Amino acid sequence: MIISEDKLRLILLKSGFVAPEELEAATKISHDLDTPLIDVVIERGIILERFLGEAIADHIGFPYADIKNEKIAKKILNLLPANVANKKRMVIFGENKDVVSLAMENPHDLASVEYVKKRVGKSVKIFFTLANVLNLALDQYKADVKADYEKIISENINAIGQNKAAATDLPVVKIFDTIIEFAASERASDIHIENLGDKVVVRFRVDGKLRDVLELPASIQASIITRIKIISGLRTDDHRIPQDGRFRFKHREDEISVRVSILPTLNGEDAELRLLSQAARPKTLEDLGLSGINLKLVIEGLKQPHGLILSTGPTGSGKTTTLYNILTILNTADVNICTIEDPIEYGLRRVNQIQVNTAAGLTFASGLRSILRHDPNIVLVGEIRDQETAEIATHAALTGHLVLSSLHTNDAISTIPRLEDLGVQPYLIASTLNLAIAQRLVPKNHQSCLVTKELDQTTIDNLIKGFGERLPPAFIQSKKRYYAGAGCDACSHTGFKGRTGIFEVLKFSEKIKQMIIAKKPIPEILSQAKKEGFKAMLEDGLEKVQSGLTTYDEIIKAVKD
Ligand SMILES: [Zn+2]
């Protein structure tokens, strides 16, 4: 950041958009969450990004480059090579006969300005821009990258030609490395390599959606699979049994660990690779998609020294990521944290992480028991899915530990009947549960190609059919327009980029605890929660549509059950 926090505070106050008490609150959150103040004020909508950008630019004496939604012509963008632009944090976004317009995160970086002058042979008009905005502009380079990867792969396929390639041959190694690099640069979570008999299809899962990205000749399938087996430490001579392995690789600054499954099929063997990127982990609760009252409840809930915090949702709803995120926030020098997980998805510094190993008799329950003998302050149990684990976890929460876990329920309130099903007594539920966080993941509109859309009758009908009286009153009448990504090169013409969570957070207040002990019906407890400010996931989703983060259709798909 080009200016100090103190300077930023002054600029914010002077701008007139931020009241002093708002600024104090934001500064405190920034310190509590170890997040730069500038991110806090933008993410929480305390000041619009553009106004903040203009205010800072004004302060340091440069014009502001508002290039957030600007598609920069290839010819202009490529006046600077991608690696220099990324490294020096600058992008050329305009050009005329003798001047280029240069947007920089740090306009005082005169050495870089000199470099640009020399390189393009023109004078340079310097603009300031915000880091977020610059990142979106830098993304526009990526549209070219796909073509580069495809070129490397086809060159290597040609190099193999009609010959039979061994797994250790350079072209095979190169093809597989390129597939992996390509997947990482697309932020894919999975790679599927599938032999269809006459050809091999490579698919990437990006933001939850699987799509075809490459075709390879069927003749090289066997050597690619063998290559994968070699680097994952699997048996290359066995083609009849499914095998699981793993390997790691570095992509730019990121360390990616890959879980590999090899599956025998009619046409030989297929491979499924799950990529877990350290860098792709959301860094803050806001990155997860927590906002407003939900964010507030979670931040408050994390201050409780003991009790149970449950993250709920179906498989793939992001509940594990939420737990990791909470652990990262709680991970300070003075606490002892232990986890029992299946699998360990991310390594956490200073945390004792244990992997479930059922074959060796190490289950969630037995692992949790042995962890508790070390008397940690905070315990993460990957999932509560049986009576024994439920019992040990709740007792640990009762006896002074903060216990985090996940539960397979659709919404937050269902944690109560689910725990009862698992044999936990109502008084124990009431005396341990602090928070239940339910969530889903939805695709996020690509913010660089947003357009406004009219809410059409089909969508309105689907909303009414799907949710009926759960829709907030007067909702349909008032919200006629919404935002959606138009689709561009940088988002592979999907209109989406990345995902965000939609949440509901249930705080177990004194009143609610009493109702649980008194065995009140669930709908009664839910209406009490609503009186206390509980916001249902549907409402959170609809708010995120209104703020341009996602679309109605995605909310309907995610929350319909
Ligand atoms: Zn786009």
Side-chain angles (χ1 to χ4, degrees):
M1 185 59 206
I2 170 175
I3 49 166
S4 67
E5 186 186 297
D6 286 343
K7 269 277 155 54
L8 177 62
R9 287 167 52 89
L10 276 178
I11 294 171
L12 285 166
L13 285 176
K14 224 180 82 190
S15 75
F17 288 108
V18 183
E21 58 276 13
E22 253 181 324
L23 183 59
E24 283 321 307
T27 309
K28 183 166 183 315
I29 293 168
S30 149
H31 294 168
D32 285 353
L33 296 180
D34 196 19
T35 306
L37 180 61
I38 190 163
D39 293 345
V40 173
V41 292
I42 293 175
E43 281 165 14
R44 282 154 202 258
I46 293 169
I47 180 169
L48 279 180
E49 192 172 64
R50 181 166 58 86
F51 293 153
L52 178 61
E54 283 167 0
I56 296 175
D58 192 46
H59 180 84
I60 59 175
F62 288 91
Y64 178 62
D66 186 16
I67 49 173
K68 183 154 189 165
N69 298 311
E70 193 160 321
K71 174 95 181 104
I72 305 169
K74 283 252 147 59
K75 188 176 131 274
I76 295 175
L77 191 68
N78 288 329
L79 288 171
L80 271 188
N83 59 343
V84 177
N86 276 290
K87 186 145 174 264
K88 299 296 181 188
R89 306 284 300 158
M90 59 187 184
V91 66
I92 296 179
F93 66 98
E95 184 193 25
N96 65 25
K97 203 155 64 64
D98 11 63
V99 186
V100 293
S101 302
L102 179 70
M104 305 181 80
E105 193 178 348
N106 178 8
H108 297 311
D109 177 4
L110 293 177
S112 295
V113 176
E114 276 310 309
Y115 167 87
V116 175
K117 258 187 211 162
K118 276 222 182 79
R119 187 177 170 93
V120 301
K122 293 185 178 182
S123 62
V124 174
K125 180 158 172 59
I126 307 168
F127 292 74
F128 164 74
T129 199
L130 292 168
N132 297 343
V133 176
L134 186 68
N135 287 340
L136 291 171
L138 289 170
D139 273 354
Q140 298 192 27
Y141 277 106
K142 286 192 192 147
D144 290 337
V145 171
K146 183 171 190 284
D148 291 347
Y149 285 124
E150 285 170 341
K151 187 157 158 266
I152 299 172
I153 289 173
S154 71
E155 279 168 4
N156 282 286
I157 289 173
N158 291 338
I160 297 170
Q162 299 305 312
N163 307 328
K164 200 168 156 39
T168 48
D169 285 356
L170 193 60
V172 173
V173 172
K174 193 83 192 159
I175 289 170
F176 180 66
D177 287 354
T178 308
I179 292 173
I180 286 279
E181 285 288 322
F182 185 11
S185 79
E186 295 273 296
R187 299 168 304 109
S189 60
D190 300 81
I191 305 172
H192 290 196
I193 301 176
E194 195 179 331
N195 192 342
L196 301 181
D198 56 338
K199 64 184 176 195
V200 174
V201 176
V202 179
R203 298 193 175 97
F204 291 171
R205 188 186 302 282
V206 179
D207 300 333
K209 293 196 172 100
L210 202 59
R211 60 184 164 85
D212 294 8
V213 285
L214 292 167
E215 283 186 8
L216 307 173
S219 56
I220 67 165
Q221 169 81 350
S223 47
I224 294 278
I225 295 289
T226 305
R227 173 72 195 152
I228 298 173
K229 286 179 171 176
I230 292 170
I231 56 175
S232 328
L234 300 177
R235 294 183 58 134
T236 54
D237 57 345
D238 202 328
H239 306 284
R240 289 200 175 79
I241 52 161
Q243 299 191 63
D244 294 321
R246 52 175 66 215
F247 66 92
R248 283 168 185 275
F249 72 100
K250 272 212 173 311
H251 175 70
R252 296 183 194 147
E253 298 300 292
D254 193 9
E255 164 121 357
I256 299 181
S257 66
V258 184
R259 293 212 306 268
V260 177
S261 301
I262 304 288
L263 306 157
T265 67
L266 277 180
N267 298 314
E269 290 164 295
D270 290 347
E272 288 184 15
L273 290 77
R274 162 65 55 91
L275 277 60
L276 294 164
S277 146
Q278 287 285 359
R281 276 175 57 197
K283 299 289 184 295
T284 68
L285 294 172
E286 294 92 326
D287 290 343
L288 295 172
L290 276 163
S291 54
I293 178 79
N294 289 339
L295 179 66
K296 186 165 161 272
L297 288 174
V298 172
I299 291 174
E300 281 172 12
L302 298 190
K303 291 183 182 145
Q304 305 291 325
H306 52 81
L308 190 55
I309 296 178
L310 290 174
S311 169
T312 85
T315 308
S317 59
K319 53 185 192 286
T320 313
T321 310
T322 298
L323 290 175
Y324 272 109
N325 217 288
I326 289 175
L327 263 197
T328 308
I329 293 169
L330 294 172
N331 190 6
T332 55
D334 50 347
V335 294
N336 174 8
I337 303 180
C338 294
T339 75
I340 171 94
E341 304 170 64
D342 187 22
I344 295 176
E345 294 202 359
Y346 300 106
L348 295 168
R349 243 188 299 158
R350 297 185 52 260
V351 173
N352 308 309
Q353 294 174 279
I354 302 174
Q355 164 77 52
V356 164
N357 184 345
T358 324
L362 182 56
T363 61
F364 278 123
S366 66
L368 182 53
R369 248 197 210 102
S370 70
I371 282 175
L372 289 171
R373 282 196 282 273
H374 298 282
D375 201 30
N377 312 93
I378 300 168
V379 179
L380 172 89
V381 190
E383 193 183 348
I384 297 178
R385 56 185 169 208
D386 59 72
Q387 198 158 347
E388 196 185 2
T389 312
E391 191 187 326
I392 310 169
T394 42
H395 274 100
L398 192 65
T399 53
H401 307 274
L402 185 62
V403 180
L404 310 176
S405 190
S406 72
L407 207 57
H408 211 94
T409 69
N410 279 334
D411 54 25
I413 196 82
S414 300
T415 49
I416 303 168
R418 179 78 186 119
L419 285 173
E420 285 175 351
D421 286 348
L422 288 168
V424 184
Q425 295 299 316
Y427 83 90
L428 203 50
I429 297 176
S431 42
T432 55
L433 262 179
N434 296 346
L435 280 184
I437 307 166
Q439 70 175 97
R440 299 286 186 282
L441 286 177
V442 293
K444 201 161 142 185
N445 287 336
H446 186 209
Q447 300 292 312
S448 298
C449 62
L450 277 190
V451 291
T452 57
K453 286 202 169 173
E454 201 79 30
L455 185 55
D456 60 275
Q457 196 55 44
T458 321
T459 310
I460 295 177
D461 292 346
N462 285 339
L463 281 164
I464 293 172
K465 202 173 84 202
F467 305 116
E469 68 237 37
R470 284 161 67 197
L471 284 174
F475 167 74
I476 297 297
Q477 291 88 330
S478 58
K479 318 285 184 190
K480 288 285 186 233
R481 298 185 72 80
Y482 66 104
Y483 298 96
C488 66
D489 284 349
C491 63
S492 306
H493 298 275
T494 58
F496 296 109
K497 192 154 196 200
R499 287 189 288 178
T500 185
I502 53 172
F503 289 88
E504 60 184 32
V505 180
L506 178 61
K507 180 189 167 189
F508 291 80
S509 65
E510 275 316 309
K511 182 96 198 201
I512 290 176
K513 287 170 186 243
Q514 281 163 20
M515 293 176 83
I516 294 172
I517 295 172
K519 299 189 180 162
K520 295 282 188 212
I522 291 299
E524 253 179 64
I525 300 180
L526 188 60
S527 70
Q528 172 61 29
K530 281 182 180 158
K531 269 186 225 151
E532 296 173 13
F534 171 77
K535 186 165 79 178
M537 195 185 298
L538 174 63
E539 289 172 65
D540 188 44
L542 294 176
E543 280 177 18
K544 290 197 161 94
V545 173
Q546 284 308 309
S547 57
L549 278 175
T550 188
T551 64
Y552 285 113
D553 287 341
E554 295 301 333
I555 296 300
I556 294 170
K557 265 188 260 169
V559 198
K560 63 172 177 283
D561 44 88

